[in-house]
Every structure is written in C-alpha cells, then in structure tokens.
Amino acid sequence: MAVTVLPSVSGLSAVASSSNLRRLTSASNHRLTAIKSVTSTSSPPTPSSGVQRRRKNNDENRATVAKVVENPYSKVEAARPDLQKRLSDFLEEAREFVGDGGGPPRWFSPLECGAQATNSPLLLYLPGIDGTGLGLIRHHKKLGEIFDIWCLHIPVSDRTPVKDLVKLIEETVKSENFRLPNRPIYLVGESIGACLALDVAARNPNIDLSLILVNPATHVNNFMVQPISGMLNVLPDGLPTLLEDIFDFGFKQGDPLTGMLDALSNEFSVQRMGGVGGGMLRDVLAVSANLPTLSRMFPKDTLLWKLEMLKYAIASVNSHIYSVRAETLILLSGRDHWLLKEEDIDRYSRTLPKCIVRKLDDNGQFPLLEDGVDLATIIKCTCFYRRGKSHDHITDYIMPTTFELKQQVDDHRLLMDGTSPVMLSTLEDGTVVRSLEGLPSEGPVLYVGYHMILGFELAPMVIQLMTERNIHLRGLAHPMLFKNLQDSLVDTKMFDKYKIMGGVPVSHFNIYKLLREKAHVLLYPGGVREALHRKGEEYKLFWPERSEFVRVASKFGAKIVPFGVVGEDDICEIVLDSNDQRNIPILKDLMEKATKDAGNIREGDESELGNQECYFPGLVPKIPGRFYYYFGKPIETAGKEKELKDKEKAQELYLQVKSEVEQCIDYLKVKRESDPYRHLLPRMLYQASHGWSSEIPTFDL
C-alpha cells in the first residue's frame, strides 16, 4: 500500500521506512511518466473554424443528453459492496509495516484516501494492540472521500510510554486546530487507541473533537491476562523467529500443508464455498497463511509491553473520564468482552455529555476488519458527520452510494415485490401516464401528499424516483427519528433508512433551507396523525387548518406536486389502535412513554394534531394487494411571491393543494377496481409466464 508520509510533530520523526518511500516515489514517477507520454503525443492538424463550431455544438448536445440520461442509480441491482478489502489484505500490508526497521511512532496517510471532498474534517486513526495503523484498511477508500485521514503507526520495537503517545497525538491535534480552527477533528480509536483518544479529549476540552471509540478497553480481565503473562514469561525469546523459519522453509520446500493453506486462502477458492461460512473460513485460512507476519507483529517482549501499556492507559482514562466534553460514538461488539465490560460502557454513556452507543451484535474483537461493518455508513446513520460546529442535516448530508441504495432495495424487496407499485404522473398538458415522466427534473420541488399507516408507501416511492428519474427526495420527518435515546422502546437502528436516504427533521427553517438549495422535498402535512391513524381513518387527511408551506414555496418559486397513494387496506388491517391501547394498562404506559420521548412539534396547537399520541398500531397482514401512486400536475408558484404574501390567497392555494390530493386518492380508489392484477395471484401468474422482471399491466388510463 502506497502511503503519504506526514510532517514530523514535536521532534518525533515522521519518516516512513525506506521501502515505503521507494514504493511511493516509484509510483509517483510512473504517474508522471504516463502524463508526459500523453501530453507529448503529436497533435492532429487544427480543423477549420466551421468544423470546430459544429464539433463544439455536437459535443455540447452529447453532453446535454448524457446529463439527462446518466443516472448513477439506474443499475442498482448490479451494485457491488463498497468495501472490498478483507483481513487477508490487512495481513499482507502489515507484513511490510512490521518489517519497516523500527523507529519512533509516526503518522501516514494512505494514497487511496486522497480524493476527499472540500472542507473535509480531519480524522486521526489511533490503532489497537497491533500498532500498525492499518485497522481502517477496509474503509480507507470510502472514508477518504469525506475525511482527511491520518493513521498513527507504532513500530513493533517501539517502547514509547502511553503518556508520550498522548502528547504526540495532543500536539498534532493542537497544531491542526491552530492551522484550521473551524475544522472539527475526529479521533477514531480502537481498543487501547480508544483510551488514548479519551485521554487527549480530556486534556483538551476546548478543542472541537469528535470521538469514535471501537471496543474501547475499559478494564483488564485478570482471569485471562495473568495466565497469558505467565505463559509469555516462560516461553523462549526465539520462538517467533523459529516459527517464521519453519513457515519460510515450508513454503520454499513446497510443504503440502503450507501450500494448501496458501491455495485455500485464494479468494476464488473460498468463494466457491460460499456464504457466511465461506467468509469465516477465508479469514481463518488468511490468518493461518500469515502466521509469520503475526509472529513478527507480536513477539514476546512486545506483547508483554502492550499488556503493561493497556493497564496504564485504562487507569489513566478512568481518572480523566469526567473531563471529556467531546461528542462520542461508541461501537460495541456483541462478542468481545475480553477488554471491556458493558457496565463500564453504560457508565461512559451516562458520564460523557454527548454519547451514542451503537451495538454490533454479530461482531467480535476486530469489527473494523469484519464483514458487515461499514464505518462510513454507521457515521451517516448516527448523524455523526459534520464539517462545522454541529451536524447540519442539509449541508452535511452525504448521498447514498449505489450499494447503500441496493441494501435499501433488498431490505424492502418483499414489500415492493408483494405490492407491485403502479406509479402515475401528469404531464404539462394534463395527460396521465404510467411513468414518472411528469415530475419536474429540476428543483426546487415540494411534494405534498397522504401518509399511509406507518409510512408503508415511502420505500417504493423514494427508491423508484431515484432509480428511474435520479430524483432524490429529501423527506421531512418527525424529529423523534433522529434522537439517539439509549433507553428507547425501539431499536434506533430501525430509523437508519431515513437518515441514509436523506430524511430531515421537519421544521420551517429546514423547509426553507432545502428549497433554497433547490432540493426535491417531501412533506406530509398530516404527519404522525396520518401515519398512526385509527381504525376506519384510512385515506382521510389530517391537515392543519392554516397553510404551512405555501408562502415558503412561493419565495423560491418551487413547484408543488400534490400526490395520493392507496393500497394500505389491501395489505393489512388495524385491529389495535390508540383508543384500544389506552384501555390496556401496560400498553397505555408504553404509549405515554413513547409520546413523551417523541416530543411535541406542534406545541401550542390545541387541536388533535397538537396532542398526537405515539404508539405502534396492532396490524393483521392480508394477502397483499397493490400500491397505486398518482402524482398530480405540478402547481407553479414562480412569480407569485407577492400575491401569496396575502394570507387569504395563500390559504386558497393551500386548500387547492389539499383538494387535489383528495382527488388523486379518489381517482385511484375508483380505478383500482378495474385493475385485473390488483390481487397477488394474477400478478404471480403473469410474471410466471412473462418473466419475473416484466412490468405487470394495470387498469386503462
């Protein structure tokens, strides 16, 4: 892996090993040579001015067509995982870092992290017990697009005390904060590295830091550590070298066992075994094939030193923990309890002022090297990314990758395949078409419509707009979806999809900012009251009496697209609504707690919209029918800002939008009766005979 060597800090040399420098230099020379060979190629004769103009026009036309046609999400089904590297890559790269000849601790920045966005915050990675600084190797490319990444490398032979490591990190933090005082600095620490991060944060409460602690070491399990220390003390010093010689001899002489391990660790061989078991076997084989590297990474004296470091670091953190003021994200593996106790994590979450605990139930000691953990996605899902003093849901939002969208498609595939959504839109001349062609391509656009029970309509609509039209809806959602309550009644991970797909806490200010940014904004005036409606209230609008969005839409000349959706009564039936649950003591208590946790966004409103209860309705599923969406003709507000400042005029337009939403719903309720494929069995038979990917017909328009 090529690396960029960063400047020295506080007298501690940051010079990389000569092998790394050679590889970096040769790679740079190679790129320069390639550029020179291209630029020095002889140019063709210059065409006449008329030909130039025609070519320019043709190029512009092609560029325009490409701009309209190209959609990065159109081939979402073929998307590959964002993280391609694995444990075997870590061990391969660690081989060179372990043999770097020693020296003091130093920072490096992998070249694959070199394409970060403008104003990206600084991320300092503090390694765990391995000390290589390669713990983020699976995440370098993706994190490198949004962070300026520096990794700390602690050579195997280095014996720098914990307090001096803390000083090195602290001086780097202070130097970068002085250079760019408005840029936040992220400290990502793993195991013992998490202790170092907490110590630095405790010593610098006035510097803008964000901490990401991965399985932080909170205590030393003496029941396990003491026998290990005793065993290490009696082992001969030359054992690692002996192991290395045995493996080297085996490989050189064609030993059958080592040859088999090398072959089986090949990606193709393991993929043939398939599934999760194949991934686990691949990692086991990778470790087996790289035992010499591990033996050089953890020689006896280094392990004994690391254990002493660990004890000192944990004691230091526990004495300083109350001084930490930085916001903190703790990633806690479900299968790692060697160096931490959940009781300590609970204490941290109560002690640290702004702390989020994220449990990785299926992961072990080194989650950042395991499948299923994507640190960039976790940062998005916890709203932990920021370029300024605090997270801004609009300017700090990061678009989903194609694979992240594919994960949403996979998560909602049963709903989408089971309901076979029909989407209609209205062209400028009033023609209704079965496509999304009638939706405006350019923002600002405000989509205003009806909210199904539990928002079942959201996933098919948002996903299809992205894949078919490259329209990214920024949905305005209840602020409770963005709260990280540790004692919440529900797992907050269930709200990740709203954050990944661009949800924003609903407020007048956020509507203003989104429309100012020319976004496509999704608004449900009925909000929670519609999404948690009671029995017999399906397709009934619960909108406020006064207009809440008309004037802000007119300020930016936004088009308003009214839409209706039906089909919830064909997939489920409400059997236990809020009225029923209020009469059951246990459910009543749960409902009151959920309502209190959610908060009231319409405080002062004496109507039922201002006193909406939060609860989970009891539903009985049905054999799924079909979802139908109808987007009405866009309503222009451009040039009407002065006119709509008049409250009566704004109210007229508000009532017009509401009326059109109701008309869309009524249209769909009538038309679906004539759809021969409204029910599941006819749709399955159609796809069985025409192909499972074929579009299923619907009623005549």
Side-chain angles (χ1 to χ4, degrees):
M1 178 182 69
V3 296
T4 299
V5 185
L6 300 169
S8 60
V9 178
S10 183
L12 289 173
S13 172
V15 179
S17 67
S18 58
S19 61
N20 285 336
L21 278 175
R22 279 197 298 271
R23 285 187 293 108
L24 176 59
T25 305
S26 62
S28 302
N29 288 341
H30 178 73
R31 285 196 299 273
L32 287 172
T33 303
I35 293 171
K36 287 170 107 176
S37 65
V38 171
T39 54
S40 61
T41 304
S42 58
S43 303
T46 305
S48 65
S49 58
V51 174
Q52 282 183 321
R53 282 194 296 271
R54 287 195 297 273
R55 285 185 180 177
K56 183 178 179 182
N57 291 336
N58 289 336
D59 290 343
E60 288 177 350
N61 291 336
R62 281 195 295 270
T64 303
V65 171
K67 183 179 179 181
V68 173
V69 173
E70 184 180 0
N71 178 1
Y73 299 107
S74 60
K75 298 180 180 179
V76 66
E77 295 291 349
R80 299 184 61 197
D82 296 320
L83 309 183
Q84 300 292 332
K85 292 192 174 182
R86 302 186 181 280
L87 178 61
S88 56
D89 299 289
F90 167 79
L91 294 171
E92 285 291 328
E93 299 290 348
R95 183 180 303 170
E96 295 190 29
F97 275 71
V98 169
D100 63 359
R106 55 214 182 242
W107 298 102
F108 70 91
S109 181
L111 288 184
E112 57 187 333
C113 301
Q116 68 264 18
T118 307
N119 299 324
S120 294
L122 175 65
L123 186 152
L124 302 179
Y125 173 68
L126 313 179
I129 197 167
D130 64 286
T132 61
L134 293 172
L136 290 178
I137 190 168
R138 296 187 71 237
H139 311 265
H140 281 165
K141 187 174 186 303
K142 192 171 180 182
L143 284 177
E145 295 174 356
I146 57 177
F147 287 104
D148 179 10
I149 299 180
W150 297 12
C151 304
L152 182 63
H153 172 56
I154 305 173
V156 172
S157 59
D158 179 72
R159 297 295 180 264
T160 303
V162 169
K163 61 180 182 180
D164 289 340
L165 287 175
V166 170
K167 286 181 181 178
L168 165 65
I169 301 164
E170 181 182 20
E171 290 178 6
T172 303
V173 166
K174 287 181 176 179
S175 172
E176 287 302 304
N177 181 67
F178 178 78
R179 191 171 68 88
L180 294 169
N182 296 321
R183 179 172 74 159
I185 299 174
Y186 283 70
L187 301 182
V188 178
E190 194 170 6
S191 185
I192 190 172
C195 296
L196 300 177
L198 284 167
D199 249 354
V200 171
R203 292 162 61 104
N204 298 275
N206 296 322
I207 293 181
D208 188 10
L209 298 174
S210 292
L211 310 183
I212 300 178
L213 312 179
V214 184
N215 286 340
T218 62
H219 85 299
V220 176
N221 189 336
N222 290 322
F223 181 76
M224 297 180 66
V225 171
Q226 287 180 355
I228 292 174
S229 298
M231 182 178 66
L232 288 171
N233 282 317
V234 300
L235 284 176
D237 291 337
L239 183 62
T241 305
L242 179 62
L243 283 173
E244 183 180 340
D245 290 342
I246 291 172
F247 267 79
D248 285 345
F249 178 79
F251 278 111
K252 290 175 183 177
Q253 299 300 321
D255 178 75
L257 175 61
T258 53
M260 181 181 68
L261 291 174
D262 187 39
L264 285 176
S265 63
N266 181 276
E267 182 74 17
F268 175 72
S269 300
V270 176
Q271 279 186 351
R272 292 175 61 182
M273 301 176 190
V276 177
M280 294 175 63
L281 179 59
R282 177 189 57 242
D283 291 344
V284 170
L285 295 173
V287 170
S288 302
N290 286 276
L291 279 176
T293 300
L294 291 172
S295 69
R296 292 199 303 270
M297 189 185 301
F298 299 112
K300 169 187 166 181
D301 57 338
T302 298
L303 274 177
L304 289 170
W305 171 255
K306 297 282 187 181
L307 291 175
E308 291 303 314
M309 279 183 64
L310 195 59
K311 294 177 184 178
Y312 183 91
I314 291 173
S316 178
V317 165
N318 288 332
S319 65
H320 297 147
I321 190 70
Y322 294 97
S323 301
V324 177
R325 295 290 175 265
E327 61 177 0
T328 308
L329 170 62
I330 298 178
L331 304 183
L332 183 64
S333 289
R335 295 186 284 109
D336 173 32
H337 298 283
W338 182 37
L339 295 175
L340 61 84
K341 291 192 297 187
E342 290 202 28
E343 295 84 354
D344 291 326
I345 300 300
D346 290 339
R347 176 170 59 88
Y348 280 17
S349 66
R350 292 191 301 270
T351 303
L352 299 173
K354 293 170 283 186
C355 182
I356 303 169
V357 178
R358 182 90 170 186
K359 293 188 177 180
L360 310 173
D361 297 323
D362 299 325
N363 295 98
Q365 178 71 37
F366 306 107
L368 296 179
L369 293 173
E370 298 175 20
D371 290 337
V373 176
D374 186 332
L375 185 55
T377 300
I378 291 173
I379 290 171
K380 292 181 187 181
C381 292
T382 51
C383 299
F384 207 71
Y385 184 75
R386 60 190 177 91
R387 297 182 181 91
K389 293 297 182 183
S390 61
H391 175 76
D392 188 306
H393 290 278
I394 297 163
T395 59
D396 289 330
Y397 174 67
I398 303 166
M399 288 285 289
T401 64
T402 308
F403 184 71
E404 286 172 342
L405 180 60
K406 184 180 186 299
Q407 289 179 308
Q408 296 302 315
V409 172
D410 292 341
D411 290 345
H412 296 91
R413 192 174 298 280
L414 185 61
L415 175 66
M416 295 170 66
D417 290 348
T419 58
S420 303
V422 175
M423 300 211 178
L424 312 176
S425 64
T426 310
L427 303 179
E428 290 185 2
D429 61 3
T431 304
V432 178
V433 294
R434 187 186 176 182
S435 72
L436 299 174
E437 186 183 349
L439 300 183
S441 298
E442 302 295 331
V445 183
L446 184 63
Y447 298 79
V448 184
Y450 167 72
H451 220 350
M452 273 189 183
I453 188 76
L454 295 179
F456 281 134
E457 83 287 353
L458 274 170
M461 177 173 65
V462 171
I463 289 171
Q464 191 156 338
L465 260 68
M466 287 191 77
T467 55
E468 186 176 321
R469 288 291 312 278
N470 195 21
I471 292 175
H472 183 214
L473 286 182
R474 302 298 306 273
L476 291 156
H478 196 289
M480 67 178 172
L481 304 184
F482 303 88
K483 292 183 178 180
N484 291 290
L485 301 174
Q486 303 303 325
D487 59 345
S488 175
L489 295 173
V490 297
D491 186 354
T492 54
K493 291 180 187 176
M494 67 184 294
F495 302 136
D496 286 355
K497 56 187 176 184
Y498 302 108
K499 301 166 189 174
I500 284 287
M501 299 307 293
V504 178
V506 63
S507 70
H508 293 294
F509 185 54
N510 282 339
I511 297 176
Y512 180 95
K513 289 171 68 178
L514 285 168
L515 293 178
R516 184 183 63 189
E517 297 295 322
K518 301 187 182 302
H520 289 253
V521 185
L522 175 62
L523 173 66
Y524 292 105
V528 174
R529 180 64 183 87
E530 279 180 9
L532 301 178
H533 62 248
R534 307 183 185 108
K535 298 174 186 175
E537 292 180 344
E538 57 270 7
Y539 310 128
K540 182 179 178 181
L541 300 186
F542 292 92
W543 288 21
E545 292 183 4
R546 301 165 113 193
S547 63
E548 296 185 332
F549 56 82
V550 169
R551 280 186 284 181
V552 69
S554 67
K555 180 173 182 61
F556 298 100
K559 294 177 175 137
I560 300 175
V561 178
F563 71 92
V565 55
V566 302
E568 67 174 86
D569 52 340
D570 277 348
I571 64 166
C572 64
E573 180 180 354
I574 302 175
V575 295
L576 207 62
D577 63 15
S578 59
N579 291 333
D580 299 321
Q581 295 188 25
R582 203 177 293 115
N583 297 322
I584 303 173
I586 295 178
L587 296 181
K588 179 183 178 182
D589 292 341
L590 293 175
M591 189 164 62
E592 288 176 352
K593 183 179 188 314
T595 303
K596 181 180 178 182
D597 288 345
N600 187 357
I601 62 173
R602 296 185 186 273
E603 196 169 349
D605 188 341
E606 299 299 327
S607 69
E608 61 177 335
L609 290 178
N611 297 280
Q612 171 61 33
E613 294 171 313
C614 290
Y615 75 105
F616 195 89
L619 304 176
V620 174
K622 299 179 179 180
I623 297 175
R626 202 168 190 184
F627 281 179
Y628 302 86
Y629 298 76
Y630 178 21
F631 295 91
K633 184 178 179 180
I635 299 171
E636 295 281 356
T637 65
K640 298 182 180 179
E641 182 181 358
K642 290 184 179 180
E643 177 185 345
L644 293 174
K645 282 184 178 179
D646 183 277
K647 291 185 178 180
E648 292 185 3
K649 294 289 185 181
Q651 186 69 11
E652 286 179 14
L653 184 55
Y654 177 73
L655 295 176
Q656 177 191 342
V657 174
K658 182 179 180 181
S659 174
E660 293 201 18
V661 171
E662 291 172 331
Q663 290 173 28
C664 290
I665 294 173
D666 293 338
Y667 173 86
L668 292 174
K669 287 169 68 177
V670 172
K671 295 294 286 185
R672 71 174 174 173
E673 298 295 334
S674 60
D675 184 359
Y677 299 98
R678 176 180 175 183
H679 302 292
L680 182 61
L681 182 58
R683 297 200 302 272
M684 293 179 66
L685 293 174
Y686 181 89
Q687 288 190 315
S689 59
H690 292 79
W692 295 107
S693 60
S694 59
E695 184 179 64
I696 302 171
T698 186
F699 50 76
D700 294 330
L701 299 178

